[in-house]
Amino acid sequence: MNLDFTAILPSLPYILKGIGVTLKIVIVAGLLGFAFGIVLAIFKISKSKALNWFADAYTSIFRGTPLILQLMIIYYGLPQLIGFEIDSYTAAVAAFSLNSAAYISEIIRAGILAVDKGQKEAAMALGVPGERMMRDIILPQAMKNILPALMNEFITLTKESAIVTVIAVDDIMRRSYIVGGDQYRFFEPLIFAGLIYYVLVISLTMIGKVVERRMRQSD
């Protein structure tokens, strides 16, 4: 074995800068995916068959194809149709947000359907408009039920963000790979990258538990 972690010490600041890039992609894509996921979930439970069909078809396509394929279609394939290139960061955010929306929509849909029907009936009896009922009564209760599943989706998104290295986004993984190529030793920088991802995932898990605990206390 020829391992020497001290050899990559000068390159650690360079690798650590990738955390900001990774978090920027995850946060923006997560928020956009969550917003679009709510819309898709509402489409799925609406009385419109056209909206039902669109939401189901969308979910089927994005859950049934590899994320890396979606990323490469947006980055390499879409410019062929629209006539101009898409920068790697925008392509990454677009791919991850569109993909996450498909999964989040199913989580939210299940959460909405899990809310007691009596809540909806009581709101209707009081004359609460449908939009306000969904925003102020149904969704807040659904969020408490689906928080663990949502946090799991964001954790998965954080780990899967490493595939953006294939379109040359300077995230944690790509920077580690570059360091490995410069020094002809890949094991050490890649292990360090794995440690960073592990810390990020553990941090998200702890944040999720704190939020969940506070939401239970508010009941």
Side-chain angles (χ1 to χ4, degrees):
M1 294 180 65
N2 182 25
L3 298 180
D4 183 10
F5 284 90
T6 61
I8 66 168
L9 287 178
S11 302
L12 294 188
Y14 174 75
I15 298 176
L16 289 172
K17 287 182 181 179
I19 297 177
V21 178
T22 296
L23 290 179
K24 190 176 179 181
I25 293 173
V26 171
I27 292 172
V28 176
L31 292 175
L32 291 176
F34 179 72
F36 191 30
I38 292 177
V39 174
L40 288 173
I42 294 175
F43 283 1
K44 291 179 180 181
I45 63 175
S46 72
K47 296 179 180 180
S48 171
K49 290 185 178 180
L51 295 179
N52 292 161
W53 180 88
F54 171 80
D56 289 340
Y58 179 95
T59 301
S60 177
I61 292 172
F62 278 89
R63 292 179 67 182
T65 55
L67 175 56
I68 191 170
L69 173 65
Q70 299 161 18
L71 177 63
M72 297 184 76
I73 286 177
I74 292 175
Y75 185 67
Y76 293 110
L78 194 56
Q80 181 181 339
L81 300 179
I82 61 179
F84 59 87
E85 293 185 359
I86 302 175
D87 69 87
S88 56
Y89 172 78
T90 302
V93 170
F96 284 116
S97 58
L98 292 173
N99 182 272
S100 290
Y103 289 90
I104 291 175
S105 67
E106 280 295 295
I107 295 172
I108 295 176
R109 181 190 65 82
I112 291 175
L113 294 178
V115 175
D116 189 275
K117 292 183 178 180
Q119 299 289 329
K120 182 178 179 180
E121 294 172 354
M124 293 175 64
L126 294 172
V128 180
E131 182 181 343
R132 183 180 177 186
M133 176 179 62
M134 181 60 68
R135 184 184 69 246
D136 297 336
I137 299 176
I138 304 299
L139 281 178
Q141 295 184 64
M143 284 297 299
K144 292 183 179 181
N145 297 329
I146 65 177
L147 182 60
L150 278 179
M151 288 306 302
N152 186 60
E153 173 60 24
F154 288 131
I155 288 172
T156 300
L157 179 62
T158 302
K159 293 186 293 183
E160 289 185 342
S161 68
I163 68 173
V164 298
T165 187
V166 302
I167 59 171
V169 176
D170 284 334
D171 69 327
I172 300 168
M173 183 64 71
R174 179 167 177 79
R175 288 171 181 264
S176 299
Y177 180 79
I178 290 174
V179 170
D182 288 341
Q183 300 189 11
Y184 298 100
R185 49 192 326 123
F186 289 91
F187 188 87
E188 294 91 334
L190 291 177
I191 286 296
F192 183 68
L195 178 62
I196 295 174
Y197 282 111
Y198 181 75
V199 171
L200 291 177
V201 167
I202 293 299
S203 300
L204 282 174
T205 303
M206 294 177 61
I207 292 172
K209 289 182 178 179
V210 170
V211 174
E212 186 178 357
R213 191 179 305 117
R214 289 187 176 180
M215 293 183 74
R216 286 179 179 175
Q217 292 175 353
S218 66
D219 290 341

